[in-house]
């Protein structure tokens, strides 16, 4: 019996025919309220929600997966598959928690925290939601600026990568201040998804077809490239790398904080479980393909991001350009979900401020936010270390710990099937392991990267 068919809603099956009317009543009530606030309108199709979900989750996290396997061994694929199954369960119970309050649908992840544990729960959810959004967007700015810098150095353009971070942030700022609702992000998410898929396919194709450079010295413009003839080693398991793997997988699969807005934009919200399953099947498949191909090709010499291992050529350059496009598209989508929470808290809506004042306040607040992102990114421009730290500090909690704690609190232990309690305990254990040990490993790696940079 699967999660879609077994989770009870008011003692009925989740999204079952018997519960459909009750859920639609909640959705309609929340839709009306959301429209009055000027935030969520149900104008997106289920396919649009699929693109939004897949485009947001599938992304730069895939570029670190071969490196994660190099740290932890082939067992990482098994852990990755388990995280993919948990991701489906986590996405469904997150949305189910939105319907836990009789007579209405909660609007966001932060509201779930408040419904579960009052104001402490709200602050707890808000903190990790903000940390996840800020950390992920900083990571994307670092990746985009660094990638452009790497691409242009061989052409003789030696502008600092921080300059390119500024240019990328400005490009991200334009759609960010224009977008107001998650329903408006489906089209750009589709382009982001397509670019991610092409990047993964290019990286995998090069890894299988031409994993090593021609014989000769390692070129100075790609010091991480693997030379043909180098002995590549693999291992099945290295337990010391498992916490880092969990932190990275948490980052790669996390999206719970934005799921309420994606589902809230759907014209047919009862399709959410099917959207979640389809999205996670696609995401997990691409993650496994990318991780296995990269680790097979480069073994213990794998670096992060994976594109740094690829030999120079048209295909690798195309992949780097596409990943820049993806992260530039992803930041406005991700930050829109956080801004909607902030604007709701500070009543930055047309109803409270009027049309023009609301637009000015929204533009100003979002400009300050993305400016802060740019400043932090320039201060700590280390892709791999920041990804591990963000995954451990925030996404381990958002993806694994908070959803099950909120679910248990809102629905009670007696109303939840026994097997879901087992899944919940596994989620808690993995989340705590990722947060504690993953944060330790990430902090040490970041410290070492900063010290190495200062010594050069």
């Amino acid at each position: 019996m699967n999660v879609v068919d077994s989770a009870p809603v008011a003692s009925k099956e989740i999204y079952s025919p018997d519960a459909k009317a009750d859920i639609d009543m909640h959705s309609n009530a929340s839709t009306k309220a959301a429209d009055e606030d000027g935030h969520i309108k149900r104008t997106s199709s289920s396919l649009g929600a699929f693109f939004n979900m897949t485009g947001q989750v599938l992304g730069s996290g895939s570029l670190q997966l071969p490196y994660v396997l190099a740290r932890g061994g082939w067992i990482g694929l098994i852990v990755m598959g388990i995280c993919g199954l948990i991701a489906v369960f986590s996405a469904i119970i997150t949305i189910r928690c939105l319907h836990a309050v009789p007579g209405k649908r909660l609007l966001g992840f932060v509201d779930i925290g408040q419904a579960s544990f009052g104001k402490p729960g709200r602050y707890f959810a808000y903190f990790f939601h903000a940390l996840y959004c800020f950390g992920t967007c900083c990571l994307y700015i670092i990746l985009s600026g660094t990638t452009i810098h790497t691409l242009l150095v061989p052409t003789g353009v030696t502008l600092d990568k921080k300059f390119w971070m500024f240019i990328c942030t400005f490009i991200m700022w334009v759609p960010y201040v224009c977008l107001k609702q998650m329903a408006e992000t489906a089209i750009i998410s589709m382009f982001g998804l397509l670019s991610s898929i092409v990047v993964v396919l290019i990286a995998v194709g090069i890894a299988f077809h031409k994993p090593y450079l021609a014989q000769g010295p390692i070129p100075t413009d790609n010091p991480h490239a693997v030379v043909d003839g180098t002995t590549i080693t693999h291992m099945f398991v290295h337990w010391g790398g498992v916490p880092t793997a969990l932190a990275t997988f948490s980052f790669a699969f996390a999206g719970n904080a934005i799921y309420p807005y994606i589902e809230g934009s759907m014209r047919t919200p009862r399709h959410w479980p099917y959207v979640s399953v389809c999205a996670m099947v696609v995401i997990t498949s691409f993650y496994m393909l990318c991780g296995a191909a990269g680790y097979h090709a480069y073994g213990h010499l794998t670096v992060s991001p994976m594109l740094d291992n690829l030999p120079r050529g048209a295909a690798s350059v195309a992949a780097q350009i596409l990943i820049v496009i993806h992260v530039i598209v992803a930041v406005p989508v991700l930050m829109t979900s956080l801004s909607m929470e902030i604007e709701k808290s500070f009543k930055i809506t047309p109803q409270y401020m009027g049309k023009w004042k609301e637009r000015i306040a929204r533009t100003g607040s979002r400009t300050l936010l993305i400016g802060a992102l740019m400043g932090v990114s320039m201060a700590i421009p280390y892709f791999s270390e920041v990804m591990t730290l963000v995954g451990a500090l925030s996404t381990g909690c958002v993806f694994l710990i908070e959803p099950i704690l909120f679910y248990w609190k809102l629905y009670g232990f007696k109303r939840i099937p026994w097997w879901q309690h087992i899944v919940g305990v596994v989620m808690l254990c993995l989340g705590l392991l990722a947060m504690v040990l993953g944060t330790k490993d990430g902090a040490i790696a970041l410290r070492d990267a900063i010290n190495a940079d200062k010594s050069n």
Side-chain angles (χ1 to χ4, degrees):
M1 189 162 52
N2 58 52
V3 65
V4 174
D5 296 328
S6 63
V9 175
S11 74
K12 297 183 183 295
E13 305 270 281
I14 185 169
Y15 294 104
S16 67
D18 294 335
K20 176 181 178 299
D22 182 55
I23 290 174
D24 284 346
M25 176 192 72
H26 290 202
S27 300
N28 291 336
S30 66
T31 300
K32 181 179 179 181
D35 288 346
E36 289 170 354
D37 280 340
H39 287 301
I40 300 175
K41 294 183 180 179
R42 292 192 178 275
T43 58
S44 175
S45 65
S46 297
L47 183 61
F50 168 82
F51 283 130
N52 246 335
M53 185 176 186
T54 311
Q56 189 60 47
V57 177
L58 178 63
S60 60
S62 60
L63 300 180
Q64 178 145 321
L65 297 181
Y67 175 74
V68 168
L69 295 183
R71 292 284 303 273
W74 287 114
I75 197 173
L77 290 177
I78 299 175
V79 179
M80 192 189 305
I82 293 173
C83 287
L85 294 174
I86 289 176
V88 175
F89 180 77
S90 183
I92 292 176
I93 64 173
T94 294
I95 298 306
R96 185 166 179 247
C97 287
L98 296 175
H99 302 279
V101 178
K104 69 175 182 179
R105 175 194 179 278
L106 301 174
L107 294 180
F109 197 72
V110 174
D111 297 315
I112 296 175
Q114 181 166 351
S116 302
F117 298 102
K119 286 189 175 181
R122 182 178 186 84
Y123 298 145
F124 182 71
Y126 193 92
F127 174 79
F128 284 102
H129 179 194
L131 187 61
Y132 162 67
C133 291
F134 267 81
T136 304
C137 291
C138 285
L139 181 69
Y140 286 172
I141 293 173
I142 293 169
L143 180 60
S144 60
T146 303
T147 302
I148 294 176
H149 173 75
T150 303
L151 281 171
L152 294 179
V153 165
T155 68
V157 179
T158 57
L159 293 171
D160 189 78
K161 59 185 177 182
K162 293 182 180 180
F163 170 80
W164 295 114
M165 290 182 193
F166 171 80
I167 296 298
C168 291
T169 304
F170 178 77
I171 297 173
M172 296 168 184
W173 171 81
V174 175
Y176 175 46
V177 297
C178 295
L179 293 173
K180 188 175 180 180
Q181 305 170 32
M182 289 304 295
E184 299 170 352
T185 66
I187 294 179
I188 63 174
S189 291
M190 179 179 66
F191 285 111
L193 170 61
L194 293 176
S195 65
S196 296
I197 291 175
V198 174
V199 167
V200 171
L201 292 178
I202 290 175
V204 170
I206 294 177
F208 278 117
H209 177 65
K210 188 182 178 183
Y212 313 123
L213 288 173
Q215 292 184 358
I218 296 178
T220 57
D221 63 344
N222 190 2
H224 300 300
V226 180
V227 178
D228 193 18
T230 302
T231 301
I232 300 297
T233 61
H234 303 84
M235 56 185 170
F236 178 73
V237 60
H238 176 245
W239 295 112
V242 172
T244 298
L246 283 174
T248 302
F249 295 155
S250 296
F251 175 86
F253 283 105
N256 299 67
I258 66 170
Y259 292 162
Y261 302 102
I262 297 176
E263 188 268 354
S265 68
M266 292 174 62
R267 288 193 297 267
T268 314
R270 65 180 180 276
H271 290 172
W272 174 256
Y274 311 111
V275 170
S276 301
V277 171
C278 292
M280 288 306 164
V281 167
V282 171
I283 292 165
T284 306
S285 299
F286 273 93
Y287 281 167
M288 286 189 166
L289 180 62
C290 186
Y295 184 47
H296 166 75
Y298 311 115
H300 69 288
L301 297 177
T302 303
V303 297
S304 177
M306 178 188 177
L307 296 180
D308 284 351
N309 272 123
L310 304 183
R312 295 293 179 188
S316 61
V317 169
Q320 289 175 310
I321 293 173
L322 286 171
I323 202 64
V324 170
I325 293 174
H326 167 76
V327 298
I328 287 176
V329 165
V331 167
V333 177
L334 184 57
M335 287 302 294
T336 295
S337 69
L338 176 61
S339 292
M340 289 172 67
E341 290 284 357
I342 295 174
E343 289 156 13
K344 183 177 65 176
S345 300
F346 287 91
K347 298 181 179 180
I348 302 177
T349 66
Q351 288 69 32
Y352 285 98
M353 305 182 70
K355 181 179 179 180
W356 289 105
K357 286 185 178 180
E358 181 269 343
R359 183 173 298 178
I360 293 172
R362 173 159 51 91
T363 300
S365 64
R366 296 190 178 195
T367 300
L368 288 174
L369 280 174
I370 203 164
L373 290 174
M374 181 182 66
V376 173
S377 302
M378 290 182 176
I380 48 172
Y382 309 101
F383 176 80
S384 177
E385 294 78 11
V386 171
M387 177 177 285
T388 301
L389 200 55
V390 170
L393 280 174
S394 61
T395 55
C397 189
V398 173
F399 169 53
L400 295 168
I401 296 176
E402 289 181 326
I404 194 62
L405 290 181
F406 296 160
Y407 185 50
W408 280 340
K409 183 65 170 63
L410 289 172
Y411 283 89
F413 283 85
K414 294 183 179 179
R415 295 174 57 192
I416 298 175
W418 62 270
W419 67 270
Q420 294 185 17
H421 289 303
I422 295 177
V423 176
V425 171
V426 172
M427 290 173 66
L428 278 181
C429 292
L430 293 179
L432 291 173
L433 182 63
M435 288 191 70
V436 176
L437 297 182
T439 298
K440 176 186 174 183
D441 291 347
I444 293 174
L446 182 60
R447 179 201 64 190
D448 293 342
I450 293 174
N451 291 337
D453 199 24
K454 289 180 178 179
S455 62
N456 291 333

